[in-house]
Amino acid sequence: MTAVRTTLTALAFALLASTALAQSAKTTLTIDLPNEPATLDPHLQWNTDSYSVYRNIFDNLLTRDVSGEIVGQIATEWTYLDDTTIEFKIRDDVSFQDGTKLTAEDVAYSILRIIDPALKSPQLSQFNQIDTAVATDATTVKMTTKSPYPALLAQLVKLSIVPKAYMEKVGAQEFNVKPIGSGPYALGEWQKGVQTELKANDGYWRAKPPFETVVFRAVPDVSTRIADLKTGKADLIRDLSPDQTDSIKETENTKVLSVATERVGYMYINAQAGPTTDVRVRQAIAYAIDRSALIEALLQGYGAQVNIIGAPPVFGYTDEVAGYDYDPDKARELIKEAGAEGAKLEFLTSPSYSRALVEAIQQMLNDVGFDVSISASDQATFLKRRQGNPENAGSLAFGAWSCACQDADGIIFPLFRSGSQWAKYANPDYDALVDSARSTLDKDQRMADYKKAYEILREDVPGLGLYQAFAVYGANAKLNWEPTANESMFIMDMSWQQ
Amino acid sequence: MLRYVGERLLQAMIAIFGVLTIVFIVMHLSGDPTLLLVPQGASAEMIADLRRELGFDRPLWVQYVGYLNDLIHLDFGESVVQRVPAIDIVASRLPYTIQLAAGALTVAIGVGIPAGILMATRRGGWLDRVLTAVVVTGQSVPTFLSAILLIFVFAVTLGWLPASGIGGLSNLVMPSIALGALSMSTFARMTRISVADELSKDYVRAARARGLPMPKIIVRHVLRNASIPVISIAALEIGNLLAGAVIIETVFAWPGIGQLAIQSIQARDFLIVQVIVLLISFVYVITAVLADFIYAIVDPRIRLAR
């Protein structure tokens, strides 16, 4: 009897001890994303749900530090030999997860692979200014661009390094299922449609990864992601709209994490077809929109006002260009002058954009005398119309733009440079400025060009900056993490509070 | 019988071919995935290049003929988004949908048929009224709402069941109830009507006159006669369950083909959508043929008539 009791007591203690141990160290971090990664091959799909996962498996050539500065990751230093040639020094203490050493050959291979049209990479447009890359010795890579290309480093922040030997051995399809990188986490198991499990790479060269296991789950419905967070099934969830944050704040063991990003909410206004070809009509639209009301009421403060289509983390951003103040009387005046009372404006949108925001803007524009109708379609159809010819591209659309490169060249060049499929606007002076800014490495010159370009955009209003978007996450109260402006999700930056 | 099955299968092939053609045309007319794949700043030339590489620049009929040709060779193609054979992706998701459909069907039949029998035998009583209320609720509450309500009550407030995902049997409970509720109501109503109908027939009165106990009469005679309409409903319900799974799988993060279908349609991942359509049409047809078989087994009159 005593023996039994002793055994039972011992067992109870053992159980207690093991639960106490489990509480003291968080071994598995669970993250709910809206979708599963499309690919784990970092040179193929570029979307948030894919790179949130695979960027933890790979190292990039360059990265951004906490303050947003570009710093080396696999590269230690780089020098421009001339305007189109740049030489990178590569770390010699990094190994891939299969034990092989990462060399300059792998870096050159990664660059050549992503710019090879045969790969059919959707990311090609981010790297197609690169002409070639060659490893000159074990730790040096020489890269040449087709012309002087100031956004090169900002783009290379997104270049993941893959192992040449392994890729050539197994082929692209096998690599996508069993990727090997040099990053802090290796793929454990990819349960298609369910979850992607990553295991810590204990020999990681920067530091020991904070969690043994990280599980990325695919949970499409936002209410379900919130329920998962509240019930402790998930520790971090992505893609919340501001009106859903209250219930997370009210729950005791969960919190909201947010950060101002490089993404900018903006209005597109068609300058080449319909009533909005008249610049006075476009200016009236700018005067009619109350941006601070949008930020306070609809974004619940998860947004910051901007005067231009850009945001502070973006190179080329300036606060010296004036914005349009909310002035409905002025708007009505301009509409009267242009004879555009009751003008019919078609407002294109898709489920990717907040319906409440679109309707609020519709209301503001109707209040000053326009007749705005909303045309909602799915994202593919929306893009087809928005990027198609001006006659069919509606009068207005809302958008949330990020090039993930923090450079005005990735924003206002594609949006408004004539000839771009997004531009429903043409102004040779503007074209000259953005062309000049993308072909010189002189930072002061570029800043000056962009300031002038933004001034032209202010006068012509082919688009209107509304707000700097915030990324909003729900997290367990014990998760320490500061989200970054480029919306990346590096596990290495996270830790668990005991 | 064999000839009959052959005819049905031929009809089915034609129907599936028609469905595939319609889906092909509708999906391709509303745009291709290229625009969704590229980053926002991609130039028009880059987009055109990628579109050419992926083969979406070819005339629609050329793509269609190519697609049918591959299909004849049982080549279902590769997902343009995931770069994995489409058939593999669908196959990996199928077991989850089968699990969910089985769970929902268990709820629907396990609750619906007994409820229907009770309602028919206790017509007008309090039990009938209570069950009618349950049935009407199951029928009228939309699945997306009942799903979220279930999560709120049983996962968030009470903490009894996991809110999402797959795993043990406990993960299957809420999705099965949410998905099975509508079918449950249909089964209950159909059972109630057909049992009530049979109960008023002469053979029941004769059996009672012979002194047989009521439960025995119901199980041995009434149910057998009442089952024909219920079986045809069951065949239709399997189709409805697959359709309802689209919503339920999305809400509960259940990785079945319904969720996959929605994601693939949004991403314009044509080949996956085609495989799913092919599969669902197949299931519809097969269940309809199976229902015919079961009629013949249950009711000798049908068997003898052929």
Side-chain angles (χ1 to χ4, degrees):
Chain A
M1 190 64 204
T2 355
V4 173
R5 189 174 292 163
T6 325
T7 324
L8 277 177
T9 324
L11 211 84
F13 268 112
L15 272 173
L16 276 175
S18 66
T19 43
L21 207 71
Q23 272 165 2
S24 73
K26 175 90 171 166
T27 53
T28 302
L29 184 78
T30 307
I31 301 174
D32 272 13
L33 302 176
N35 284 298
E36 69 166 339
T39 64
L40 290 182
D41 182 336
H43 292 168
L44 294 179
Q45 296 323 322
W46 174 259
N47 57 54
T48 319
D49 293 319
S50 298
Y51 67 66
S52 293
V53 180
Y54 67 58
R55 287 179 124 193
N56 289 296
I57 303 178
F58 297 89
D59 280 321
N60 292 356
L61 186 61
L62 304 172
T63 190
R64 285 184 190 269
D65 65 11
V66 189
S67 63
E69 283 298 307
I70 295 176
V71 293
Q73 190 165 46
I74 288 300
T76 51
E77 55 184 286
W78 50 94
T79 36
Y80 273 96
L81 303 180
D82 57 57
D83 272 5
T84 56
T85 315
I86 181 169
E87 193 176 78
F88 290 92
K89 282 283 171 198
I90 307 299
R91 299 191 74 93
D92 68 348
D93 58 349
V94 179
S95 294
F96 287 108
Q97 288 143 7
D98 63 354
T100 56
K101 207 165 160 57
L102 186 154
T103 67
E105 279 291 337
D106 297 304
V107 175
Y109 174 77
S110 298
I111 295 160
L112 294 176
R113 179 170 187 255
I114 207 162
I115 62 173
D116 180 3
L119 184 67
K120 303 182 225 171
S121 172
Q123 295 182 58
L124 178 57
S125 61
Q126 298 177 331
F127 299 99
N128 69 329
Q129 286 301 312
I130 300 172
D131 186 38
T132 188
V134 59
T136 47
D137 63 50
T139 57
T140 315
V141 173
K142 204 160 82 178
M143 189 187 296
T144 50
T145 55
K146 292 174 182 164
S147 56
Y149 182 48
L152 178 68
L153 296 178
Q155 298 290 15
L156 287 175
V157 164
K158 294 176 276 184
L159 181 78
S160 296
I161 308 302
V162 300
K164 180 183 180 190
Y166 178 69
M167 179 74 84
E168 284 179 341
K169 195 178 95 191
V170 299
Q173 207 168 83
E174 175 81 359
F175 186 84
N176 187 19
V177 192
K178 288 180 190 147
I180 285 181
S182 59
Y185 284 89
L187 179 66
E189 191 194 359
W190 187 5
Q191 245 183 306
K192 278 288 172 73
V194 186
Q195 61 180 39
T196 316
E197 190 184 278
L198 305 186
K199 290 279 179 201
N201 170 14
D202 286 325
Y204 186 53
W205 60 276
R206 275 196 288 160
K208 190 176 175 326
F211 304 98
E212 244 170 61
T213 308
V214 179
V215 177
F216 290 90
R217 301 171 73 237
V219 184
D221 192 89
V222 64
S223 326
T224 317
R225 289 199 294 277
I226 294 174
D228 282 345
L229 180 68
K230 288 185 180 174
T231 55
K233 202 174 165 95
D235 302 308
L236 178 64
I237 62 174
R238 196 180 80 73
D239 205 14
L240 289 175
S241 70
D243 55 323
Q244 287 148 338
T245 53
D246 284 345
S247 81
I248 292 177
K249 280 185 205 154
E250 282 160 14
T251 310
E252 201 179 323
N253 55 356
T254 60
K255 63 182 173 185
V256 174
L257 298 175
S258 72
V259 64
T261 67
E262 61 172 297
R263 192 176 292 276
V264 57
Y266 75 100
M267 285 283 293
Y268 134 81
I269 307 172
N270 192 337
Q272 291 183 320
T276 44
T277 41
D278 188 326
V279 69
R280 289 168 299 186
V281 173
R282 301 200 298 273
Q283 287 172 345
I285 292 170
Y287 279 119
I289 295 176
D290 184 354
R291 287 170 291 163
S292 60
L294 293 179
I295 293 170
E296 273 163 39
L298 292 167
L299 302 177
Q300 310 208 344
Y302 291 108
Q305 201 160 325
V306 290
N307 289 336
I308 58 174
I309 302 186
V314 171
F315 181 88
Y317 174 81
T318 169
D319 50 16
E320 287 165 26
V321 175
Y324 281 86
D325 291 328
Y326 174 53
D327 191 345
D329 294 332
K330 180 97 182 168
R332 283 189 200 99
E333 231 170 78
L334 283 164
I335 293 170
K336 202 167 172 196
E337 237 180 85
E341 292 103 330
K344 289 193 189 321
L345 305 179
E346 192 186 12
F347 197 153
L348 303 184
T349 189
S350 87
S352 304
Y353 309 109
S354 158
R355 182 80 190 190
L357 207 65
V358 169
E359 282 176 3
I361 295 171
Q362 176 193 34
Q363 192 56 48
M364 288 171 183
L365 295 179
N366 284 345
D367 283 348
V368 296
F370 289 115
D371 178 8
V372 178
S373 61
I374 295 175
S375 293
S377 58
D378 67 297
Q379 182 72 1
T381 314
F382 168 80
L383 288 175
K384 197 173 162 190
R385 285 194 66 185
R386 174 68 182 83
Q387 300 185 1
N389 63 43
E391 287 68 34
N392 195 30
S395 300
L396 306 165
F398 170 78
W401 191 280
S402 166
C403 61
C405 64
Q406 304 188 13
D407 195 295
D409 181 59
I411 307 175
I412 57 171
F413 187 92
L415 273 177
F416 303 117
R417 168 71 166 86
S418 50
S420 157
Q421 75 276 19
W422 294 95
K424 305 291 175 263
Y425 167 68
N427 181 336
D429 295 340
Y430 173 81
D431 291 353
L433 286 166
V434 289
D435 285 352
S436 149
R438 79 160 6 194
S439 54
T440 173
L441 300 178
D442 180 349
K443 286 186 179 176
D444 297 334
Q445 176 65 41
R446 296 190 72 216
M447 281 304 284
D449 285 340
Y450 283 130
K451 182 161 180 271
K452 282 188 209 150
Y454 275 122
E455 271 160 4
I456 293 178
L457 291 180
R458 188 203 183 266
E459 286 310 309
D460 289 352
V461 216
L464 182 68
L466 296 176
Y467 62 89
Q468 176 188 15
F470 283 25
V472 185
Y473 306 85
N476 188 296
K478 287 187 173 170
L479 182 74
N480 295 324
W481 178 49
E482 278 196 40
T484 56
N486 57 1
E487 298 171 58
S488 56
M489 202 179 249
F490 291 114
I491 308 295
M492 284 301 281
D493 299 340
M494 301 179 188
S495 67
W496 198 257
Q497 193 184 317
Q498 299 307 335
Chain B
M1 191 73 193
L2 211 62
R3 191 171 146 229
Y4 171 72
V5 172
E7 274 172 16
R8 287 298 300 263
L9 286 179
L10 188 69
Q11 283 171 11
M13 294 280 282
I14 295 169
I16 290 173
F17 176 76
V19 170
L20 270 185
T21 308
I22 292 168
V23 170
F24 186 93
I25 292 171
V26 169
M27 288 214 54
H28 281 74
L29 280 186
S30 57
D32 66 51
T34 323
L35 294 179
L36 297 172
L37 289 172
V38 295
Q40 282 191 315
S43 68
E45 302 88 71
M46 299 301 313
I47 294 174
D49 284 350
L50 182 63
R51 180 171 284 138
R52 195 177 50 245
E53 292 290 341
L54 295 172
F56 292 121
D57 62 327
R58 297 173 297 165
L60 197 55
W61 69 269
V62 175
Q63 294 185 49
Y64 182 63
V65 170
Y67 171 67
L68 286 186
N69 187 38
D70 287 347
L71 208 57
I72 290 167
H73 296 97
L74 288 181
D75 175 2
F76 295 94
E78 190 182 81
S79 152
V80 291
V81 181
Q82 301 188 29
R83 308 279 176 100
V84 175
I87 189 87
D88 291 357
I89 297 173
V90 177
S92 70
R93 302 289 199 98
L94 190 59
Y96 301 114
T97 294
I98 293 174
Q99 263 180 47
L100 181 59
L105 210 57
T106 310
V107 170
I109 293 177
V111 179
I113 290 181
I117 296 170
L118 285 174
M119 283 156 75
T121 49
R122 310 274 154 84
R123 236 179 319 165
W126 65 269
L127 194 62
D128 185 21
R129 270 180 239 152
V130 171
L131 287 173
T132 306
V134 173
V135 166
V136 169
T137 312
Q139 191 179 351
S140 47
V141 177
T143 43
F144 62 87
L145 183 65
S146 58
I148 289 175
L149 277 177
L150 284 171
I151 292 180
F152 181 74
V153 174
F154 293 102
V156 177
T157 311
L158 297 173
W160 291 353
L161 295 165
S164 70
I166 52 153
L169 209 58
S170 60
N171 291 73
L172 191 58
V173 176
M174 288 199 292
S176 299
I177 293 175
L179 179 57
L182 180 60
S183 300
M184 181 272 286
S185 304
T186 314
F187 277 116
R189 277 187 304 117
M190 280 315 294
T191 312
R192 181 181 191 272
I193 294 168
S194 26
V195 170
D197 190 36
E198 292 298 324
L199 281 177
S200 64
K201 287 192 176 159
D202 287 343
Y203 73 88
V204 177
R205 213 169 305 140
R208 290 186 74 171
R210 287 208 310 273
L212 283 177
M214 206 50 197
K216 200 170 179 186
I217 298 175
I218 288 176
V219 174
R220 290 279 300 275
H221 303 284
V222 173
L223 276 190
R224 195 160 184 160
N225 286 314
S227 61
I228 300 288
V230 176
I231 290 168
S232 48
I233 291 294
L236 287 176
E237 282 307 312
I238 288 178
N240 285 342
L241 287 179
L242 286 176
V246 171
I247 294 166
I248 294 297
E249 289 181 357
T250 302
V251 175
F252 287 101
W254 191 267
I257 57 169
Q259 195 200 87
L260 181 67
I262 288 290
Q263 289 163 348
S264 307
I265 290 169
Q266 281 169 351
R268 289 291 188 281
D269 206 341
F270 298 133
L271 289 166
I272 294 188
V273 179
Q274 314 271 32
V275 173
I276 294 175
V277 167
L278 204 61
L279 185 81
I280 292 183
S281 337
F282 221 80
V283 172
Y284 257 98
V285 169
I286 296 291
T287 43
V289 173
L290 271 182
D292 277 359
F293 271 121
I294 297 175
Y295 290 163
I297 294 164
V298 181
D299 189 342
R301 285 170 299 182
I302 296 178
R303 196 162 49 210
L304 294 174
R306 286 197 193 111

